[in-house]
Amino acid sequence: MSAGAAGAVLVLNAGSSSLKYQLLHPDTHEVLADGIAERIGEAGSSITHEQDGESETDVVELPDHHAAIERAMRFFADHGTDLRSADLRAVGHRVVHGGRTFYRPTVIDAEVISEITRISSLAPLHNPANLIGIEAARSLLPDVPSVAVFDTAFFHGLPDAAATYAIDRGVASMHAIRRYGFHGTSHDYVSGQVAEFLGRPTEEINQIVLHLGNGASASAIAGGRPIDTSMGMTPLEGLVMGTRSGDLDPGLVLHLNRVAKLRVDQIDTLLNKQSGLKGLCGENDFRTITQKMDDGDDAARGAYAVYIHRLRHYIGAYMIALGRVDAITFTAGVGENATSVRADALAGLERYGIVVDPDRNALRSKEPRRISADDSDVAVLVAPTNEELAIARQAAAIAP
Ligand code: ADP
């Protein structure tokens, strides 16, 4: 019913060929509907919508994001929710890069759109897609305020020493080159969940958050303030990811160009789409990799070893950066589900006060939970992330 959607927020996450959406109440967390449109602008596009306990898929031509949102709106209408007259509080947009300009949720107007457009050179794969989602929503739901929530925002105040690349200052400044950090909405939300779970104010807690999904990032948060994070100027730096390489010797990129004769766009594709776990063993889905490891597949085992090696490298670095660590938390698809990753990431660290309890680690739940032993000085937690809820709350808080 339309009345049920009054005060709800429509959260949109527009990728280059996909659009994820969720309609939810920011106060009660009730999710009224969600859906995903895939292969937008390509052959074989489809949209799946879930509402009232039903899941429907339509394989239909979706030439652009406008068409995808229009099709989603028809699904909503079929369930009695006319988004135009539903009295929505806001449309909340995930925007990947806020540059130096945006570090708070921002009500979108023409000026904000032109600034996000200007920043797009920093995130050429992401921001243009986010903008297409913004334009489509503004034209289809002109009476609902649109709010941008930036993935970089949480890391805006990174200390200079952590945010600075050791290159020529003039060049860096001219081209806005610095470490921005990403997945900020998740790191912010999860670190808040940790404080709530431990029953302590965020300001008192030093924590490491490990967001391990298809994209992956780690952060060190001292008293609620991020002091380091593994993603940098782009979401390519840091941990080994599903299809992204994470950290590399920058000389390797030059070598690929000079010796392997790859063009810049080919190197971009190689490092963003054909590297990480996929590059190492042909698979980027952790469930498949775990299955292959169980079947004795050497490439899958090797990829897993590289993944864990890099993860431990960051955990160690952040323990030193923080000095005292109160909590280490795993989140996102892999972090919430892959028991072995959690065990292997923290194995043998008893002398540092980190003891994972194997039985607690093996329990499955959708709730935040402790997996460390009672005698572990550091609380090791699993806390599900919820970026849609975080975006909806932030959008609702500032919508006019
Ligand atoms: P995204 O970055 O796309 O939001 P997610 O946070 O959804 O990613 O995480 C996707 C990853 O989580 C995939 O590699 C997937 O295999 C992994 N994953 C999901 N469920 C499980 C599971 N039960 N066991 C191991 N890995 C899982």
Side-chain angles (χ1 to χ4, degrees):
M1 294 296 293
S2 284
V9 175
L10 178 66
V11 174
L12 295 185
N13 182 354
S16 54
S17 64
S18 71
L19 175 82
K20 291 189 206 158
Y21 60 90
Q22 192 172 99
L23 181 68
L24 74 164
H25 282 291
D27 309 321
T28 61
H29 311 180
E30 185 193 359
V31 175
L32 301 173
D34 58 19
I36 179 165
E38 292 172 288
R39 304 183 66 84
I40 296 172
E42 299 170 13
S45 50
S46 68
I47 177 166
T48 298
H49 182 87
E50 295 192 18
Q51 191 168 358
D52 301 330
E54 285 170 34
S55 175
E56 299 148 86
T57 298
D58 192 5
V59 179
V60 59
E61 199 184 330
L62 299 170
D64 53 30
H65 289 70
H66 196 278
I69 297 178
E70 251 179 347
R71 181 65 193 91
M73 286 171 72
R74 286 216 307 282
F75 271 126
F76 277 108
D78 294 344
H79 285 265
T81 310
D82 178 355
L83 291 184
R84 284 195 182 85
S85 61
D87 203 13
L88 299 184
R89 186 105 152 253
V91 181
H93 295 270
R94 176 179 185 217
V95 179
V96 168
H97 217 305
R100 297 303 301 259
T101 315
F102 298 111
Y103 50 91
R104 290 201 183 93
T106 304
V107 177
I108 298 171
D109 57 18
E111 213 172 299
V112 170
I113 288 177
S114 75
E115 182 60 13
I116 296 176
T117 308
R118 198 186 61 79
I119 292 167
S120 285
S121 60
L122 287 168
L125 296 179
H126 298 99
N127 274 30
N130 304 152
L131 278 166
I132 292 170
I134 288 172
E135 301 278 16
R138 273 164 55 92
S139 81
L140 288 164
L141 296 168
D143 299 327
V144 185
S146 274
V147 177
V149 177
F150 298 90
D151 235 27
T152 46
F154 182 59
F155 298 113
H156 172 75
L158 274 187
D160 281 347
T164 305
Y165 289 109
I167 64 167
D168 182 283
R169 276 201 188 273
V171 172
S173 143
M174 187 180 305
H175 298 287
I177 294 170
R178 77 191 285 272
R179 305 190 65 252
Y180 292 92
F182 297 85
H183 286 154
T185 306
S186 178
H187 286 274
D188 184 13
Y189 175 82
V190 170
S191 56
Q193 292 288 105
V194 168
E196 212 168 283
F197 181 86
L198 296 176
R200 295 172 64 185
T202 328
E203 297 71 35
E204 279 181 12
I205 306 170
N206 282 356
Q207 49 177 317
I208 296 173
V209 174
L210 304 167
H211 176 113
L212 310 177
N214 241 323
S217 59
S219 67
I221 305 172
R225 198 172 148 260
I227 60 162
D228 208 351
T229 190
S230 59
M231 284 177 168
M233 174 164 160
T234 75
L236 187 54
E237 190 177 341
L239 299 173
V240 175
M241 310 183 213
T243 63
R244 283 176 243 162
S245 61
D247 292 337
L248 296 167
D249 175 352
L252 175 163
V253 179
L254 308 179
H255 184 81
L256 286 172
N257 178 252
R258 285 198 194 113
V259 179
K261 302 288 179 212
L262 296 188
R263 296 189 315 267
V264 168
D265 56 321
Q266 291 173 313
I267 298 174
D268 193 336
T269 304
L270 178 76
L271 300 182
N272 275 295
K273 305 229 166 95
Q274 299 162 352
S275 294
L277 294 167
K278 191 176 181 66
L280 291 170
C281 72
E283 301 287 346
N284 62 292
D285 192 302
F286 231 90
R287 284 165 288 204
T288 317
I289 291 169
T290 314
Q291 186 57 52
K292 286 191 152 190
M293 284 168 60
D294 290 347
D295 296 343
D297 184 302
D298 283 339
R301 286 185 177 167
Y304 181 84
V306 178
Y307 184 94
I308 296 292
H309 178 85
R310 185 84 52 83
L311 187 54
R312 287 173 67 90
H313 169 100
Y314 273 94
I315 294 168
Y318 290 173
M319 283 166 62
I320 298 297
L322 289 166
R324 186 199 81 232
V325 182
D326 301 300
I328 300 178
T329 304
F330 291 86
T331 192
V334 175
E336 290 166 33
N337 294 295
T339 314
S340 64
V341 167
R342 298 193 296 254
D344 293 336
L346 299 177
L349 300 182
E350 292 79 6
R351 77 184 60 181
Y352 300 102
I354 299 171
V355 188
V356 173
D357 179 286
D359 295 332
R360 289 179 183 169
N361 188 26
L363 285 178
R364 307 189 71 84
S365 163
K366 293 266 175 229
E367 298 299 317
R369 59 196 182 277
R370 187 189 299 262
I371 60 167
S372 44
D374 290 337
D375 63 350
S376 182
D377 288 342
V378 179
V380 181
L381 308 177
V382 180
T385 191
N386 192 340
E387 287 163 287
E388 289 79 12
L389 175 60
I391 291 172
R393 279 181 183 164
Q394 295 182 39
I398 64 149

